[in-house]
Amino acid sequence: MPGSIQSLERAAAVLRLLAGGERRLGLSDVASSLGLAKGTTHGILRTLQQEGFVEQEPVSGKYQLGAELLRLGNSYLDVHELRARALVWTDDLARSSGEAAYLGVLHQHGVLIVHHVFRPDDGRQVLEVGAMQPLHSTALGKVLSAFDPVAHNEVAEGELAALTARTVTGSAEFESVLELTRSRGWGSDLEETWDGVASVAAPVYDRRRMPVGAVGVTGAVERLCDADGIRSRLVAAVRDCARAVSRDLGAGRF
Amino acid sequence: MPGSIQSLERAAAVLRLLAGGERRLGLSDVASSLGLAKGTTHGILRTLQQEGFVEQEPVSGKYQLGAELLRLGNSYLDVHELRARALVWTDDLARSSGEAAYLGVLHQHGVLIVHHVFRPDDGRQVLEVGAMQPLHSTALGKVLSAFDPVAHNEVAEGELAALTARTVTGSAEFESVLELTRSRGWGSDLEETWDGVASVAAPVYDRRRMPVGAVGVTGAVERLCDADGIRSRLVAAVRDCARAVSRDLGAGRF
DNA sequence: TGATGAAGGTCGACAATGCCGACCACCCCC
DNA sequence: GGGGGTGGTCGGCATTGTCGACCTTCATCA
């Protein structure tokens, strides 16, 4: 593979840096964080600003991400075929399960949420489209790790950080979780990511039978579980939804 | 102003092109659309793909926007101070008005929706965060055009496209609409953007009393209007919300 | 079935391009 | 008024990205 364009790589690094750090960053912060000369950094920031990818606070001179990114991110959703096919099915899933439904795809070292249906009959909720979830502790992430070799690579190379007391952190133990996920065809998360929160998910396949994402529901552990773990009614609803989306993508009958 | 970085400008143009064209584009399409050599275009696309800003469909070789844009767009929302301050107030506005509430800011030649609260007790709705609305026909857009000189410039330079039969397209007439908006302190849209849909909006100011955005509600014209136009109860609710957000931003009392 | 054209992708020479580091102007605080 | 921070500019240098010819593959079609 021939080399990449240096200035573009650096611009991308600037954007990621701005996305990571909570607060706004100054020119010198950016330059020193990336090990670039101030002049170089300024040129990149100036261009990014001109294009709308970065905004500068007039008073302090600090930089932050720009609105054009939001617009382009929205355009990404418009084109996303998996998401388009899943819209109606996830809506049904949320209604029939009474829980919030999510659609996630592998992105870098985590699960990117590309669609989120609010829990019916519940008040204030934050839309999580565009947010990332860990691969090793959520139901969506486990399903992707179990069925998508690329995701499996990602999770094998990373740390299994303990997010709650119940997070699986041993890699051998995690492999057996994935084995279980593969054998029964769905994944679960019982308070392994957030205390009091459980989730169930199942894989979505494209027309070549390759796993391309996962759908699932997330909610309070008291509602999702009974004495035997995840309620089987929910598991069935999630798997039905995953099958329906897969069929819509052309994966054919199971 | 010293020159911008050429390769970055071109990469931004590529992204905008991909965002604009509905379907996926091939390498040659992109190259010819932008008047670049194929080799150059390929280098840009390759780097953008490596960074996650662009994805390539393996089978057809076509390119489309990438997931990293969604993630960064989401990060933009996280940092957005106006949006953060407005979250709770727009929620109240939607509840008290019974309509969908929107928060918009000027971006390029239109209004970028940065927050959207669904209409209470209503079924399937599409989240419009990240979408753009025209400046000259929506309530949000008119408010921005009336109070923000930059927005006024933008709208003065562009076309006033007729979106419905009631859209104001004459520039003199439009100026008098802006004058009315300024004098009464709020803007309206009576089926000027979509048939059957009306909206009301009011300006939000920052701590230096500069207009930084607009909040409003949108809904069926039958619900929003009575015989005299927009229901005064709604106008009051919207203006209250705008004042509350402004106060949160430090604009002080009115 | 071979010819054909158009697709995506590669390569290497050339010089335009963007990089670097010294340098300004400004502000705040001691 | 100096010192130590900002963000921002400038010009010389060579690194860097550009260009256009070329390659491979694939689908079409005579």
Side-chain angles (χ1 to χ4, degrees):
Chain A
M1 177 165 62
S4 303
I5 294 178
Q6 188 190 50
S7 54
L8 270 183
E9 282 182 328
R10 289 173 168 180
V14 168
L15 289 178
R16 267 194 288 272
L17 182 69
L18 289 174
E22 279 302 307
R23 72 194 184 298
R24 297 173 250 277
L25 294 174
L27 171 62
S28 309
D29 300 330
V30 176
S32 69
S33 294
L34 300 177
L36 297 178
K38 260 197 313 183
T40 307
T41 309
H42 181 61
I44 292 171
L45 281 169
R46 190 192 327 119
T47 309
L48 286 174
Q49 181 183 14
Q50 200 169 288
E51 303 292 337
F53 293 101
V54 151
E55 289 169 4
Q56 185 176 26
E57 208 171 346
V59 45
S60 66
K62 298 295 179 80
Y63 292 92
Q64 63 169 48
L65 294 182
E68 185 74 355
L69 287 169
L70 182 59
R71 199 180 68 85
L72 291 179
N74 201 53
S75 298
Y76 165 74
L77 288 179
D78 288 344
V79 182
H80 205 280
E81 187 184 356
L82 168 58
R83 178 174 183 270
R85 304 280 184 180
L87 283 179
V88 53
W89 298 108
T90 48
D91 220 78
D92 284 354
L93 176 61
R95 193 170 321 112
S96 71
S97 67
E99 300 293 338
Y102 293 86
L103 173 68
V105 298
L106 176 68
H107 177 61
Q108 295 172 351
H109 318 298
V111 183
L112 180 72
I113 304 299
V114 295
H115 188 53
H116 172 191
V117 185
F118 287 153
R119 190 157 78 89
D121 312 321
D122 196 8
R124 203 167 300 176
Q125 293 177 71
V126 184
L127 192 86
E128 287 175 54
V129 169
M132 297 281 289
Q133 289 185 1
L135 278 173
H136 71 288
S137 68
T138 61
L140 292 173
K142 287 184 200 175
V143 165
L144 289 176
S145 306
F147 293 95
D148 183 344
V150 180
H152 187 257
N153 260 352
E154 288 292 338
V155 79
E157 285 173 7
E159 280 293 307
L160 303 181
L163 303 168
T164 74
R166 308 183 67 162
T167 310
V168 172
T169 55
S171 73
E173 193 186 351
F174 184 66
E175 281 303 325
S176 73
V177 168
L178 294 188
E179 193 49 57
L180 170 65
T181 305
R182 270 187 288 268
S183 69
R184 68 187 183 184
W186 54 278
S188 65
D189 155 25
L190 298 171
E191 302 191 79
E192 294 161 49
T193 310
W194 301 282
D195 282 315
V197 173
S199 60
V200 207
V204 175
Y205 299 93
D206 69 2
R207 59 184 63 87
R208 287 162 314 169
R209 305 290 182 105
M210 298 296 290
V212 289
V215 289
V217 299
T218 299
V221 63
E222 295 83 3
R223 288 196 312 268
L224 266 68
C225 295
D226 56 20
D228 302 330
I230 303 281
R231 290 174 196 279
S232 55
R233 214 194 93 250
L234 286 175
V235 174
V238 167
R239 299 189 71 187
D240 280 344
C241 178
R243 271 190 290 268
V245 177
S246 299
R247 199 178 330 115
D248 249 15
L249 284 172
R253 294 258 158 213
F254 287 79
Chain B
M1 176 167 60
S4 303
I5 294 177
Q6 187 189 51
S7 55
L8 270 182
E9 281 183 328
R10 290 174 168 181
V14 167
L15 289 178
R16 267 193 289 272
L17 182 69
L18 288 175
E22 280 302 307
R23 73 193 185 297
R24 296 172 252 275
L25 294 174
L27 171 63
S28 309
D29 299 329
V30 176
S32 67
S33 294
L34 300 177
L36 298 177
K38 263 197 311 183
T40 306
T41 309
H42 181 61
I44 293 171
L45 281 168
R46 190 192 327 119
T47 309
L48 286 175
Q49 180 182 15
Q50 201 170 286
E51 302 292 337
F53 292 100
V54 151
E55 289 169 3
Q56 185 177 25
E57 209 172 344
V59 46
S60 67
K62 299 295 179 80
Y63 293 92
Q64 62 169 49
L65 294 181
E68 184 74 355
L69 287 170
L70 181 60
R71 197 180 69 84
L72 291 178
N74 200 53
S75 298
Y76 165 75
L77 288 178
D78 287 345
V79 182
H80 205 280
E81 186 183 356
L82 167 58
R83 178 175 183 268
R85 305 279 184 180
L87 283 179
V88 53
W89 299 109
T90 47
D91 220 78
D92 284 354
L93 176 60
R95 193 170 320 111
S96 71
S97 66
E99 299 293 338
Y102 293 85
L103 173 67
V105 298
L106 176 69
H107 177 60
Q108 295 173 350
H109 319 297
V111 183
L112 180 72
I113 304 299
V114 297
H115 188 52
H116 172 190
V117 185
F118 287 152
R119 189 157 79 88
D121 312 321
D122 196 9
R124 203 168 298 176
Q125 293 177 70
V126 185
L127 193 86
E128 287 175 55
V129 169
M132 297 281 290
Q133 288 185 1
L135 278 172
H136 71 287
S137 67
T138 61
L140 293 172
K142 287 185 201 173
V143 165
L144 289 176
S145 306
F147 294 96
D148 183 343
V150 181
H152 187 258
N153 260 351
E154 288 293 337
V155 79
E157 285 173 8
E159 280 293 307
L160 303 180
L163 303 167
T164 74
R166 309 184 67 162
T167 309
V168 173
T169 54
S171 72
E173 193 186 350
F174 184 67
E175 282 301 327
S176 74
V177 168
L178 293 188
E179 194 49 57
L180 171 65
T181 304
R182 271 186 289 267
S183 69
R184 68 186 182 184
W186 55 277
S188 65
D189 155 25
L190 298 171
E191 302 191 77
E192 295 162 48
T193 310
W194 303 281
D195 281 315
V197 173
S199 59
V200 207
V204 174
Y205 300 93
D206 68 3
R207 58 185 64 85
R208 287 160 315 169
R209 304 288 183 106
M210 297 296 289
V212 290
V215 289
V217 299
T218 298
V221 63
E222 295 84 5
R223 288 196 311 267
L224 266 67
C225 294
D226 56 20
D228 302 331
I230 303 279
R231 291 175 195 278
S232 55
R233 214 194 92 248
L234 284 177
V235 174
V238 167
R239 299 189 71 187
D240 279 344
C241 178
R243 272 190 289 267
V245 176
S246 300
R247 198 176 332 115
D248 249 16
L249 284 171
R253 293 259 158 215
F254 286 78

